[in-house]
């Protein structure tokens, strides 16, 4: 994962942490103006210190006493109409630090995915639950494909880590891709969505700026990569095929999931790129190729 991306996500969490702690501190200052609350708070802090000493020497401590004092504090705060004096972190699990026992917290992964999603240009996602299949000519067939992909998204033991969704415009490829992305995000996976054109632009930047090796990091290392409309991107010699093969091959070696949508048939795919890319995408041992047929009824009515 690119360090700048990680730092950006950690920075967002750090800001949330600062805001929560600042608000709690302001609430405490306001509540301490009340003498009864101030006395309760002193008893509470002394109890915490006593607890720490007992833990240090392996001595028993009355946890109920601490809990009772905290309940009394909260009751008094309600009387004073003051919010909590304890920081209300957006993620209680890591207290907005992004780390739990030295490992990335799920909230940090969500922040990273949110940053990547905003950069991708995809303003919104879809969900399997709210998909309307009645808009398609072949409703039952499309429904089966969606169900198959929903199952794949939730499989942890599948060797099939590349999905190639083939179909003409209006067959629901991009909608399905957004449903799949949403499903992975709900699992706290780091997801990156790119159009083929955006991916191509990254390749060009990387090719020109050889000293900036980090440009491809997100594409190479995200847990799930979605590439929309493969085949619509410009084709540049020594760039398009070479870097696309690098992405496909590296992700396959790392056993990372990749989903591609395209209107290119297998023959078109082989002709536009080459045998190496074709064989990686069409490999029956590691890939699933699905063709979505039938038009969106709404598009048919416009003709």
């Amino acid at each position: 994962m690119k360090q700048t991306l990680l730092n950006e996500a950690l920075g967002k969490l750090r800001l949330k942490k600062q805001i929560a702690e600042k608000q709690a501190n302001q609430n405490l200052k306001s509540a301490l103006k009340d003498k009864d609350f101030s006395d309760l708070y002193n008893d509470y802090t002394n109890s915490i210190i006593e607890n720490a000493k007992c833990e240090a020497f392996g001595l028993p401590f009355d946890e109920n006493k601490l809990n009772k004092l905290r309940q009394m504090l909260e009751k008094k705060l309600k009387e004073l109409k003051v919010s909590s004096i304890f920081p209300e972190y957006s993620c209680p699990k890591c207290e907005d630090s992004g780390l739990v026992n030295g490992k990335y917290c799920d909230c940090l992964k969500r922040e990273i995915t949110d940053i990547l999603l905003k950069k991708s240009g995809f303003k919104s996602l879809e969900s399997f639950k709210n998909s309307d299949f009645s808009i398609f000519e072949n409703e039952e067939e499309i429904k089966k494909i969606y169900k198959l992909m929903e199952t794949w998204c939730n499989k942890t033991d599948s060797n099939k880590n590349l999905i190639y969704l083939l179909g003409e415009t209006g067959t629901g490829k991009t909608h399905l891709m957004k449903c799949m992305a949403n499903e992975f995000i709900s699992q706290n996976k780091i997801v990156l969505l790119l159009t083929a054109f955006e991916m191509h632009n990254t390749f060009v930047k990387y090719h020109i700026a050889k000293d900036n090796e980090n440009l491809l990091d997100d594409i190479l290392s995200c847990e799930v990569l979605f590439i929309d409309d493969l085949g619509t991107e410009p084709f540049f010699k020594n760039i398009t095929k070479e870097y696309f093969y690098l992405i496909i091959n590296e992700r396959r070696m790392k056993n990372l999931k990749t989903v591609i949508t395209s209107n290119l048939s297998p023959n078109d795919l082989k002709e536009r790129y080459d045998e190496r890319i074709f064989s990686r995408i069409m490999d029956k041992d590691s890939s699933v190729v699905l063709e979505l047929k039938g038009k969106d009824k709404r598009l048919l009515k416009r003709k």
Side-chain angles (χ1 to χ4, degrees):
M1 187 191 310
K2 191 158 58 175
Q3 191 62 43
T4 53
L5 176 62
L6 180 60
N7 290 340
E8 185 177 351
L10 286 170
K12 287 178 177 291
L13 286 175
R14 196 177 300 117
L15 180 60
K16 290 181 181 181
K17 184 179 181 71
Q18 290 171 352
I19 291 172
E21 292 176 350
K22 182 179 179 181
Q23 183 61 56
N25 189 49
Q26 288 175 346
N27 292 341
L28 177 59
K29 286 181 179 179
S30 176
L32 285 173
K33 294 175 183 177
D34 181 88
K35 187 178 183 308
D36 290 339
F37 179 87
S38 180
D39 291 341
L40 269 175
Y41 186 73
N42 286 334
D43 290 342
Y44 177 75
T45 53
N46 288 334
S47 185
I48 291 176
I49 294 170
E50 185 182 342
N51 183 20
K53 287 179 180 178
C54 289
E55 284 183 344
F57 292 102
L59 299 174
F61 176 77
D62 186 4
E63 191 70 33
N64 290 330
K65 178 183 177 182
L66 187 63
N67 290 335
K68 187 176 180 180
L69 283 168
R70 179 159 182 156
Q71 288 172 5
M72 291 171 68
L73 279 174
E74 290 174 349
K75 183 180 179 181
K76 189 63 180 175
L77 284 170
K78 286 183 179 179
E79 293 176 7
L80 297 172
K81 296 182 179 180
V82 176
S83 300
S84 179
I85 60 170
F86 306 103
E88 296 180 339
Y89 298 110
S90 64
C91 179
K93 189 177 178 181
C94 72
E95 296 186 347
D96 292 343
S97 69
L99 299 171
V100 178
N101 298 323
K103 296 182 178 179
Y104 295 155
C105 183
D106 288 342
C107 70
L108 177 60
K109 290 188 175 186
R110 286 193 295 271
E111 286 290 348
I112 291 170
T113 294
D114 186 54
I115 293 168
L116 290 172
L117 184 60
K118 287 177 180 176
K119 290 181 178 179
S120 73
F122 288 90
K123 295 180 180 179
S124 62
L125 296 178
E126 310 292 347
S127 72
F128 285 107
K129 183 179 179 181
N130 298 325
S131 295
D132 180 11
F133 301 105
S134 65
I135 64 172
F136 296 107
E137 284 182 297
N138 52 342
E139 180 179 340
E140 291 305 315
E141 185 180 340
I142 294 295
K143 191 182 294 184
K144 286 178 182 177
I145 291 176
Y146 272 61
K147 186 62 181 176
L148 180 65
M149 288 296 92
E150 184 176 9
T151 301
W152 178 79
C153 289
N154 289 282
K155 264 193 171 184
T156 57
D157 58 349
S158 176
N159 293 323
K160 311 272 190 181
N161 282 323
L162 190 147
I163 304 293
Y164 186 72
L165 300 173
L166 162 65
E168 296 178 8
T169 301
T171 52
K173 302 187 303 297
T174 300
H175 184 276
L176 175 54
M177 179 196 74
K178 289 183 177 182
C179 289
M180 294 168 73
N182 203 10
E183 191 70 19
F184 281 119
I185 289 172
S186 71
Q187 299 169 23
N188 298 310
K189 295 279 194 272
I190 297 176
V191 174
L192 174 59
L193 294 93
L194 290 172
T195 63
F197 186 80
E198 289 165 335
M199 182 178 68
H200 164 80
N201 286 345
T202 302
F203 291 165
V204 173
K205 290 176 185 175
Y206 176 78
H207 189 75
I208 295 172
K210 286 291 188 180
D211 57 329
N212 192 350
E213 297 179 358
N214 292 331
L215 277 170
L216 295 183
D217 279 0
D218 294 344
I219 301 176
L220 287 168
S221 63
C222 62
E223 290 175 282
V224 191
L225 172 66
F226 290 87
I227 304 169
D228 194 30
D229 268 345
L230 184 71
T232 59
E233 77 281 8
F235 195 95
F236 287 4
K237 186 178 180 181
N238 299 325
I239 293 179
T240 307
K241 286 193 300 185
E242 285 72 14
Y243 295 130
F244 184 46
Y245 175 77
L246 170 67
I247 297 301
I248 296 299
N249 197 53
E250 283 290 310
R251 294 187 60 81
R252 183 188 183 190
M253 300 264 299
K254 294 176 181 176
N255 210 29
L256 295 171
K257 294 184 183 296
T258 305
V259 179
I260 301 170
T261 73
S262 179
N263 62 1
L264 295 177
S265 68
N267 286 336
D268 292 336
L269 183 71
K270 188 174 182 179
E271 185 177 339
R272 177 174 173 84
Y273 300 99
D274 59 25
E275 179 65 37
R276 297 179 308 161
I277 292 172
F278 173 82
S279 64
R280 292 294 185 276
I281 293 177
M282 295 294 157
D283 184 354
K284 292 181 180 179
D285 292 329
S286 59
S287 306
V288 175
V289 179
L290 292 171
E291 184 174 4
L292 284 76
K293 299 177 181 178
K295 292 279 189 178
D296 183 326
K297 293 176 184 176
R298 294 169 299 182
L299 294 178
L300 292 172
K301 288 179 181 178
R302 294 173 191 169
K303 293 183 177 180

